[in-house]
Amino acid sequence: MKTVFLFLITGFEEIEALATVDVLRRAGVEVRTVSLTGERTVTGSHGIPVTADMLFEEGGFDRAELLVIPGGTTAYDGHEGLKRELRAFYDAGGRVAAICASPMVLGGLGILRGRRATCYPGFEKYLDGAVLETERPVVVDGNVVTGRGPGLTLDFALTLVELLAGRQQRDRVAAQLLVG
């Protein structure tokens, strides 16, 4: 079974990270949280410490089905190792997803050029060459998924479930969560 890797850095948005992990795991998707800080415990933007499953340095991202970046901070854009992994994974045909402020990382890497995308209001200027669809909660364009922000995380996560496990699994998880 392939794995989804979701990256955590100091200041990450807890709702976007943890709800996405929760929803994917409910769907039976293997998800590994990855600390980008060199420590297993990473503190989110609202002071919630989270223990990551692994450190970035442990690698193995080539076995991924999807790489996910939650938002909450622009610090992701400063992690050169993450950007190298994202670029190489995407160039090899891999699927990448980012929500809130984090589509800026994909924009800076040129991944969004000519692709439809959304982001948190005010970050549009970082989506280099993207066709902006910023009123949409989630945008899927080929192997790139972008989400708008924290209040729309369930839409984002359920879209990922549908892409990875199919519409029936998405509907099953949505029904468990009492969302449409």
Side-chain angles (χ1 to χ4, degrees), residues 28-150:
V29 175
E30 181 183 348
V31 181
R32 304 267 299 159
T33 56
V34 181
S35 170
L36 297 175
T37 69
E39 302 289 331
R40 288 231 188 246
T41 301
V42 185
T43 302
S45 61
H46 298 95
I48 301 171
V50 173
T51 303
D53 296 317
M54 61 184 283
L55 300 176
F56 179 78
E57 294 75 17
E58 294 174 49
F61 306 116
D62 57 332
R63 72 179 200 271
E65 188 163 353
L66 170 69
L67 301 180
V68 182
I69 318 167
T73 177
T74 59
Y76 287 104
D77 200 42
H79 194 286
E80 294 303 319
L82 172 64
K83 292 193 303 189
R84 273 192 307 278
E85 288 292 335
L86 285 166
R87 185 76 231 189
F89 186 74
Y90 172 80
D91 287 346
R95 185 177 283 147
V96 295
I99 185 171
C100 196
S102 290
M104 76 181 296
V105 177
L106 303 180
L109 292 171
I111 290 172
L112 298 179
R113 274 191 206 108
R115 292 193 177 273
R116 297 174 298 113
T118 192
C119 63
Y120 193 81
F123 282 84
E124 298 86 356
K125 63 187 171 196
Y126 301 109
L127 307 190
D128 186 36
V131 177
L132 298 175
E133 294 191 7
T134 54
E135 295 305 312
R136 295 191 46 209
V138 182
V139 176
V140 179
D141 190 337
N143 58 340
V144 177
V145 181
T146 52
R148 193 152 181 236

Side-chain angles (χ1 to χ4, degrees), residues 137-138 151-160 170 179-180:
V138 182
L152 302 163
T153 301
L154 288 179
D155 292 323
F156 177 75
L158 288 168
T159 298
L160 298 179
R170 180 218 184 275
V179 296

